[in-house]
Amino acid sequence: MILQHGTTGFQHYKAPRLTVVDLRAFRTVYHAVARDISADVIHNPRRNPDVECNFADALLQIGDDRVVVLLNCFHPLVAFASETDAGAPPEFRDHSDLTHAFSGYPDFTILSVATLIQPPTAEMLSKLATAEMEQFNYWKPSRIGDIIFNYWD
């Protein structure tokens, strides 16, 4: 997976503003997915107000299981995770029912755990901006998922 410019949410202050994914559109899809799999929405997609991050999260109750749905705010990349404390790296997980339900919405790309846990390579980072690479070199993430869904400030 090659990360696209703006994935981290960082840019030079003189650069044009990054395009943000429409959270309302994601909320609509998220609720449709929840209905499709008989899940309860615990909270709607939102950015965490307590920490600086480049993603929104939402929470579903699926039977006895709670699944966090992560959305990168700058590209329509979606992942699933277990609940963790704010600021902790996501515990990525696959969820076949959610993946299947989201497959009907091609505007969003579902990322698997296998993709998210890959160590970043120069090729994967080749399209990131200089400001993004500066942050990458400072934070030194070990998984591609920690770049796509980060708490960097």
Side-chain angles (χ1 to χ4, degrees):
M1 167 175 213
I2 296 176
L3 299 180
Q4 299 302 307
H5 173 83
T7 299
T8 68
F10 284 90
Q11 63 182 20
H12 188 272
Y13 74 96
K14 290 184 179 179
R17 291 187 63 149
L18 295 171
T19 302
V20 178
V21 174
D22 183 356
L23 278 182
R24 280 190 240 156
F26 182 64
R27 186 179 301 120
T28 299
V29 168
Y30 179 82
H31 277 273
V33 164
R35 280 190 303 276
D36 289 349
I37 64 170
S38 300
D40 293 318
V41 175
I42 304 301
H43 70 73
N44 285 307
R46 64 194 167 110
R47 288 191 73 173
N48 190 323
D50 299 326
V51 293
E52 186 64 32
C53 62
N54 72 332
F55 61 92
D57 67 349
L59 182 63
L60 286 178
Q61 181 80 39
I62 307 168
D64 293 334
D65 192 17
R66 283 184 164 209
V67 180
V68 178
V69 181
L70 306 172
L71 171 70
N72 180 281
C73 287
F74 305 99
H75 294 283
L77 303 173
V78 175
F80 310 125
S82 298
E83 283 187 283
T84 59
D85 294 330
E91 292 178 18
F92 298 116
R93 58 186 284 199
D94 291 321
H95 197 286
S96 60
D97 290 342
L98 282 171
T99 300
H100 179 72
F102 267 101
S103 70
Y105 303 93
D107 290 342
F108 296 95
T109 301
I110 305 302
L111 302 175
S112 68
V113 170
T115 297
L116 294 163
I117 63 171
Q118 290 179 10
T121 65
E123 182 182 5
M124 291 175 176
L125 306 174
S126 63
K127 291 190 177 183
L128 296 182
T130 302
E132 293 178 290
M133 288 306 299
E134 288 170 358
Q135 292 298 315
F136 171 81
N137 290 326
Y138 178 81
W139 294 101
K140 298 180 181 14
S142 62
R143 310 177 303 174
I144 198 78
D146 295 329
I147 300 168
I148 299 169
F149 305 101
N150 72 61
Y151 285 104
W152 304 343
D153 59 6

